[in-house]
Amino acid sequence: MLNTLPEGFPLAIIEEANTGFVIIDESLKLSYANPASELLLSQSFQRLYQQTLQQLANHYHFNPQSIKNVFKDKGAFNENEVTLLVDSQPLLISLSATYLSFNNNAYVIIELRCIEQQRKLSQVHYQEHQQKAAQDLVRGLAHEIKNPLGGLRGAAQLLESELPSPELKEFTQIIIDQADRLSALVNRLLGPQKMGERKMDNIHSVLEKVRKLVRLNLPDFIEIKVDYDPSIPDFEMQSDQLQQAFLNIVQNAVQALSPEMKQNSKITLRTRTAHQVTINGLPQRLAVEIKIIDNGNGIPNHLRDTLFYPMVTGKTDGTGLGLSIAQELIKQHHGRIECHSISGHTEFSIYLPMQL
């Protein structure tokens, strides 16, 4: 096997392990990677071999200093959640590094365990519970507001009909206009109540409508790129509702891109076929995967766990309803939406079953 480790180095155990192991020598170069780590990092050992720790850090976007400290202190290092960028996709792993001396040579053996799926499942269950509680509360408040709001509007109309002066009617019209504005907000808080009629349609047709709508007011420094899988067949959907869901997400992406980025600002719409996936606890033989990706500054940490809650927003002029409504529309299609975000890469992934 291609490596620079001394003869007799105990590799048998980690060679067959399901967990990824890589070994860095004291020159801070990769000396060994087991098959599980090749699969995890999406690179062959031949390509990983002899890469420096700094090259690996640059490629996978992690901080190498903690691993360097293991050599310095002859100790160990553990990090429960480290985000690597593998094939431009964020991947959450548990990382542990341990100092090892063999034949008077120093090494650090690094264990990489993917915890993306476990984190995702626990996060989905927790967030669904919290989101339902928040949505029930908001909808309850919205219903309580809607009835007196209708009475307020009706009273203003009656008063307007009794007023002799056009100048006074101007004030009742203000009341009516503001009541209508609040009523529209309440309707948005209540969200989509039921699925519209399903028809056979093409997911790319829906995405192209969204792209054309967004381009009408798109700043010059933002580019929208598409990466579609043309083999994805038509399937039953409520096109208008999916269009609204995708539009809400893309508009968020536009707002997340800063003018200071200039030429580098881009949004990517990507589609792929997903086989044998689990959506909302149910196995699906075939699904479509839609990714909406931007290279903005990322979602603030304090918003990530409550991102899809109603009334949660990081914008001073936002209502916090766009993503909540998008999630509800996706759920009505028996789909799932999730988000991964680090600085320079925010990715919304939507999974929709093609057959129910």
Side-chain angles (χ1 to χ4, degrees):
M1 176 182 293
L2 179 69
N3 66 68
T4 56
L5 299 174
E7 185 177 351
F9 197 98
L11 291 177
I13 296 176
I14 60 176
E15 179 70 17
E16 301 299 328
N18 292 326
T19 302
F21 286 92
V22 299
I23 297 176
I24 306 294
D25 64 26
E26 55 191 338
S27 67
L28 298 181
K29 291 183 178 180
L30 188 142
S31 295
Y32 170 79
N34 74 340
S37 68
E38 294 179 82
L39 186 63
L40 182 68
L41 299 175
S42 194
Q43 282 203 65
S44 67
F45 176 49
Q46 283 75 14
R47 295 189 64 182
L48 291 167
Y49 178 65
Q50 289 291 285
Q51 287 192 42
T52 66
L53 180 61
Q54 189 60 55
Q55 287 173 322
L56 293 169
N58 292 340
H59 185 82
Y60 293 109
H61 291 252
F62 67 89
N63 185 352
Q65 188 58 49
S66 297
I67 297 172
K68 292 178 182 177
N69 290 340
V70 174
F71 275 108
K72 179 181 177 182
D73 302 333
K74 299 183 178 180
F77 163 72
N78 293 283
E79 181 66 54
N80 289 331
E81 294 186 1
V82 176
T83 300
L84 302 183
L85 210 58
V86 179
D87 290 340
S88 300
Q89 309 298 316
L91 183 68
L92 195 66
I93 67 164
S94 171
L95 183 150
S96 63
T98 305
Y99 179 84
L100 178 66
S101 178
F102 186 81
N103 287 355
N104 296 320
N105 294 313
Y107 302 94
V108 168
I109 182 168
I110 303 170
E111 180 181 6
L112 306 167
R113 292 201 308 139
C114 181
I115 59 173
E116 186 77 19
Q117 194 63 25
Q118 299 94 308
R119 165 73 182 273
K120 191 180 295 183
L121 288 173
S122 62
Q123 190 177 43
V124 164
H125 289 309
Y126 173 77
Q127 288 185 346
E128 282 182 350
H129 176 75
Q130 295 297 319
Q131 286 164 8
K132 187 178 186 308
Q135 286 172 345
D136 289 345
L137 174 62
V138 169
R139 285 175 176 170
L141 288 172
H143 277 296
E144 291 297 318
I145 294 170
K146 195 166 187 177
N147 290 333
L149 196 59
L152 180 66
R153 189 184 193 283
Q157 286 179 311
L158 287 173
L159 179 60
E160 185 178 56
S161 66
E162 298 294 327
L163 292 175
S165 169
E167 289 79 8
L168 293 175
K169 290 182 178 182
E170 179 182 344
F171 294 106
T172 56
Q173 190 58 50
I174 291 174
I175 296 173
I176 293 169
D177 290 343
Q178 293 304 306
D180 288 341
R181 186 180 67 83
L182 288 173
S183 181
L185 177 60
V186 166
N187 287 333
R188 291 186 67 195
L189 285 171
L190 290 171
Q193 299 300 302
K194 61 181 181 179
M195 165 80 79
E197 182 183 356
R198 287 172 174 264
K199 294 182 179 178
M200 296 295 290
D201 206 342
N202 187 277
I203 196 68
H204 300 132
S205 174
V206 177
L207 287 168
E208 281 301 289
K209 288 178 183 177
V210 170
R211 187 169 70 95
K212 289 175 182 176
L213 282 171
V214 172
R215 285 180 62 186
L216 292 175
N217 296 300
L218 191 68
D220 293 338
F221 65 90
I222 299 177
E223 177 188 9
I224 297 185
K225 300 181 68 176
V226 298
D227 180 11
Y228 295 154
D229 178 356
S231 68
I232 295 174
D234 294 1
F235 61 96
E236 281 193 345
M237 65 181 76
Q238 214 300 319
S239 305
D240 290 342
Q241 290 184 340
L242 283 183
Q243 179 180 316
Q244 184 62 57
F246 298 151
L247 182 62
N248 289 358
I249 299 169
V250 175
Q251 286 176 332
N252 265 31
V254 171
Q255 293 166 0
L257 291 169
S258 168
E260 287 77 19
M261 297 177 66
K262 297 296 183 186
Q263 303 300 325
N264 296 324
S265 298
K266 66 178 179 180
I267 297 169
T268 303
L269 307 180
R270 180 180 299 158
T271 61
R272 294 292 185 269
T273 301
H275 298 272
Q276 305 300 334
V277 294
T278 300
I279 302 177
N280 301 327
L282 298 174
Q284 301 290 341
R285 187 178 64 83
L286 190 63
V288 59
E289 175 190 78
I290 303 106
K291 290 185 180 290
I292 299 171
I293 305 165
D294 72 71
N295 63 342
N297 293 326
I299 297 167
N301 288 333
H302 70 279
L303 292 179
R304 291 181 187 180
D305 289 338
T306 57
L307 191 61
F308 296 101
Y309 289 16
M311 309 301 288
V312 172
T313 179
K315 301 186 287 289
T316 55
D317 58 346
T319 62
L321 295 175
L323 292 179
S324 176
I325 290 172
Q327 185 188 55
E328 186 63 27
L329 292 169
I330 296 301
K331 280 185 176 179
Q332 289 183 8
H333 282 78
H334 305 280
R336 183 181 87 225
I337 179 173
E338 56 193 44
C339 177
H340 297 282
S341 181
I342 58 175
S343 180
H345 186 95
T346 296
E347 177 178 301
F348 284 86
S349 300
I350 301 104
Y351 297 89
L352 299 171
M354 293 191 198
Q355 298 174 342
L356 295 179

